């Protein structure tokens, strides 16, 4: 991690992989991650932590399974939402989006309880953000 400022749009330009977050920085024991997303993620839950989403570009939808039933939260650019711990949820972006997430270091992107993970979803605890000097290499090799 660098102690230099990070321009988020420049950081997003360093990778193309969908549903494969990059760690921008750490705050105490939390990762600040960015990701490009399109299509559907997987139904999952994080048993011990909330999950924070901020939409940087596009629109993100989050389907939720709550005691009252299922509902969908729509998040246009500039909006934030926190999924409470233990809540089954499925993010999806019909037309693509760029998002920022804030969650404890080591949190798996597919949660503690999840459906089968499709090939287009990266089950990871986040990848290191590659600096601009390595951006071409990052785009060529999948993580």
């Amino acid at each position: 991690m660098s102690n230099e400022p990070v321009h988020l749009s420049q950081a997003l330009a360093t990778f193309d992989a969908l549903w494969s977050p990059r760690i921008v920085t750490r705050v105490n024991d939390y990762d600040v991650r960015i990701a490009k997303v399109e299509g559907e993620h997987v139904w999952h839950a994080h048993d011990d932590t909330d999950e924070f989403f901020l939409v940087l570009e596009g629109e993100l939808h989050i389907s939720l399974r709550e005691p009252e039933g299922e509902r969908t939260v729509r998040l246009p650019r500039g909006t934030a939402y926190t999924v409470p711990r233990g809540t089954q949820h499925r993010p999806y972006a019909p037309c693509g989006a760029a998002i920022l997430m804030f969650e404890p270091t080591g949190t798996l992107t597919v949660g503690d309880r999840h459906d089968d993970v499709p090939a287009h979803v990266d089950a990871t605890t986040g990848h290191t953000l590659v600096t601009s000097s390595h951006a071409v290499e990052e785009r060529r090799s999948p993580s």
Side-chain angles (χ1 to χ4, degrees), residues 1-137:
M1 295 292 125
S2 170
N3 64 350
E4 295 298 318
V6 176
H7 193 283
L8 295 178
S9 63
Q10 290 174 354
L12 284 162
T14 66
F15 65 97
D16 293 322
L18 298 175
W19 300 111
S20 184
R22 300 304 189 262
I23 301 167
V24 175
T25 191
R26 290 199 169 92
V27 179
N28 298 316
D29 297 330
Y30 284 77
D31 289 343
V32 177
R33 303 174 185 176
I34 57 173
K36 293 179 180 179
V37 299
E38 188 170 354
E40 296 183 353
H41 196 269
V42 61
W43 279 103
H44 67 282
H46 302 277
D47 292 332
D48 298 318
T49 186
D50 300 334
E51 188 170 16
F52 172 86
F53 294 90
L54 170 65
V55 179
L56 304 172
E57 299 172 9
E59 182 173 277
L60 181 71
H61 301 188
I62 303 175
S63 295
L64 304 162
R65 290 180 177 152
E66 300 174 312
E68 305 80 31
E70 282 190 23
R71 72 179 176 113
T72 298
V73 176
R74 287 180 172 74
L75 304 171
R77 179 180 181 210
T79 58
Y81 182 76
T82 301
V83 175
R85 71 188 67 205
T87 302
Q88 283 277 330
H89 61 286
R90 179 181 53 97
Y92 63 100
C95 298
I99 60 175
L100 181 142
M101 296 161 290
F102 188 74
E103 52 199 347
T105 298
T107 300
L108 192 60
T109 57
V110 294
D112 305 316
R113 294 177 282 124
H114 53 79
D115 292 343
D116 292 329
V117 179
H120 73 278
V121 172
D122 186 7
T124 181
T125 57
H127 299 284
T128 302
L129 180 66
V130 177
T131 61
S132 59
S133 63
H134 296 100
V136 173
E137 181 181 323

